[in-house]
């Protein structure tokens, strides 16, 4: 049985996380390889993966990801924590059955839907829903209305939500393309990707992949990321193949043997992140990435934010000193765009220069045809 070999403080865990998330320095890697390494990218807001990849890759342009989504090389689907993720087709069909109990729980405990699905033959609803989607992809509203004709005593939105949660669906283009519509249109994943769901996926492999991208991490951290529970036994089965550390509180942290542990004093340049990025959402103990170990929701409440900043044509969160220490938004006036940066901590002269330089690059990335662009860094709160 492996025993802990060393203690890792929050700073060491921060640099390990940033390194494995490709946020210490930009890399020259294929988009698909990055999305796969990260075990998918949070995509509840369609523009999120574009900003996330721009923050991680050198010379990145949005049209490449748009093409991959259009060509079905990457897909948007409900996975970890029942939220929309951008993943490879392989991961769509492998991860979905592993997190099915998370989507079950979401449906059966959801305040809008739990009471409505009681006593309903959900297998029959799903079969009918998939048949309708195979006729043609449909919006949730269209799918719900069609199912409501057969089950007139049930709410249309609940019928559509049941199909979404109990079967593998994907959100198809133009949603998820750069500048594409925000309208959600669902298709069956097996039909869209022309492949079956993995009949024998490995939760052990999923955990190892999580550790490679987010570790070292505790069992609670793994569970916070994927939404599954009772993973102690699974981790116990693979414990002998993992490294084991302790955090500052003496809690066990697990890691893959090849997991990189950079110097805790490695420089961490500022990074513009999308509104939601899994680097902020994937640990039970978030001390390594959010000041004071707050949850993302708690952090938003601390600064009076409604799940990040309001307004702007684009907006997101800001890493300063390796931690979530600010927000940003892009305001538009005619064909002029201003990036407004609001730090919540004191910014060094070096970081201020980096924020301004990267900010101009972000504006050029997002709005290459703008007549003028400006970066405004506000005084720290």
């Amino acid at each position: 049985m492996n025993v802990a070999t060393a203690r890792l403080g929050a700073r060491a865990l921060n640099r390990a996380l940033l390194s494995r998330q490709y946020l210490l320095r930009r890399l020259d890697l294929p988009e698909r390889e990055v999305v796969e390494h990260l075990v998918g990218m949070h995509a509840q807001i369609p523009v999120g993966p574009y900003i996330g990849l721009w923050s991680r890759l050198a010379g990145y342009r949005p049209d490449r990801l748009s093409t991959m989504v259009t060509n079905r090389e990457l897909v948007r689907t409900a996975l970890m924590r029942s939220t929309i993720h951008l993943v490879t087709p392989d991961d769509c069909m492998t991860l979905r059955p592993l997190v099915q109990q998370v989507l079950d729980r979401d449906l059966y405990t959801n305040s809008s839907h739990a009471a409505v699905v009681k006593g309903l033959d959900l297998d029959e609803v799903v079969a009918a829903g998939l048949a309708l989607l195979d006729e043609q992809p449909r919006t949730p509203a269209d799918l719900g209305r069609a199912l409501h004709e057969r089950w007139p005593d049930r709410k249309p939105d609940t019928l559509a939500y049941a199909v979404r949660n109990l079967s593998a669906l994907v959100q198809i283009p133009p949603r998820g393309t750069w500048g594409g519509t925000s309208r959600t249109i669902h298709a069956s994943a097996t039909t869209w990707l022309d492949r079956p769901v993995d009949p024998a996926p490995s939760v052990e492999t999923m955990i190892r992949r999580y550790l490679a991208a987010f570790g070292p991490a505790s069992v609670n951290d793994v569970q916070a990321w994927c939404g599954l529970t009772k993973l102690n036994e699974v981790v116990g089965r693979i414990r002998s193949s993992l490294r084991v550390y302790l955090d500052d509180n003496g809690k066990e942290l697990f890691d893959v043997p090849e997991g990189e542990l950079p110097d805790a004093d490695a420089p961490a340049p500022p990074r513009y992140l999308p509104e939601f990025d899994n680097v902020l959402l994937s640990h039970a103990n978030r001390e390594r990435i959010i000041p004071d170990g707050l949850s993302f929701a708690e952090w938003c409440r601390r600064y009076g934010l409604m799940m990040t900043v309001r307004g702007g044509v684009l907006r997101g969160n800001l890493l300063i000193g390796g931690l979530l220490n600010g927000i940003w938004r892009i305001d538009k006036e005619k064909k002029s765009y201003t990036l407004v940066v609001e730090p919540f901590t004191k910014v060094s002269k070096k970081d201020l220069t980096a924020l301004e330089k990267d900010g101009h690059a972000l504006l050029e990335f997002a709005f290459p045809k703008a007549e003028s662009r400006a970066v405004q860094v506000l005084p720290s709160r």
Side-chain angles (χ1 to χ4, degrees), residues 14 271 273-275 280 288-291 294-296 299-300 303 308 316-327 344-345:
N14 171 265
R271 285 287 183 257
L273 294 179
E275 285 185 85
L280 308 173
R288 73 184 71 197
I289 193 66
I290 301 181
L294 301 175
S295 72
F296 184 62
W299 182 83
C300 290
Y303 294 105
T308 73
N317 294 294
L318 189 66
L319 296 184
I320 301 175
L323 296 173
L324 178 58
N325 268 317
I327 56 177
F344 297 156
T345 188

Side-chain angles (χ1 to χ4, degrees), residues 47 50-51 54 60-63 178-180 272 311-316 328-340 358-375:
V47 75
Y50 290 88
I51 303 300
W54 174 83
Y60 181 68
R61 303 304 309 168
D63 55 291
W178 184 252
Y272 292 94
V313 293
L314 275 180
R315 57 191 186 233
W328 60 268
R329 72 175 190 271
I330 297 177
D331 292 338
K332 176 185 178 184
E333 185 174 347
K334 296 183 179 179
K335 293 186 178 181
S336 298
Y337 295 84
T338 300
L339 172 62
V340 181
D358 238 18
H360 282 289
L362 175 57
L363 286 168
E364 185 176 356
F365 166 81
F367 304 104
K369 296 181 180 179
E371 289 183 356
S372 66
R373 309 181 192 95
V375 176

Side-chain angles (χ1 to χ4, degrees), residues 15 37 52 65 75 79-80 102 111 128 145 147 156 160 187 194 221 224 232 250-251 262 307 323 349 351 360 377:
R15 294 309 192 258
H37 167 74
L65 179 56
V75 292
L79 288 173
M80 286 71 74
V102 180
S111 59
R145 279 192 292 267
L147 291 169
D194 192 25
D221 291 328
N232 278 292
K251 191 174 187 67
M307 293 310 285
L323 296 173
K349 191 171 182 180
D351 281 349
H360 282 289
V377 181

Side-chain angles (χ1 to χ4, degrees), residues 195-253:
R195 67 177 72 189
V197 171
D198 190 336
S202 167
V203 66
E204 292 87 353
T205 297
M206 182 184 74
I207 290 172
R208 288 190 180 96
R209 290 184 59 195
Y210 165 80
L211 294 174
F214 294 92
S218 69
V219 174
N220 285 342
D221 291 328
V222 183
Q223 294 179 162
W225 167 71
C226 64
L228 296 173
T229 59
K230 302 178 182 179
L231 291 181
N232 278 292
E233 182 180 343
V234 181
V235 173
R237 290 200 298 266
I238 61 174
R239 181 187 179 101
S240 63
S241 67
L242 301 175
R243 288 181 178 174
V244 185
Y245 302 97
L246 295 176
D247 67 12
D248 281 338
N249 297 315
K251 191 174 187 67
E252 284 192 324
L253 305 172

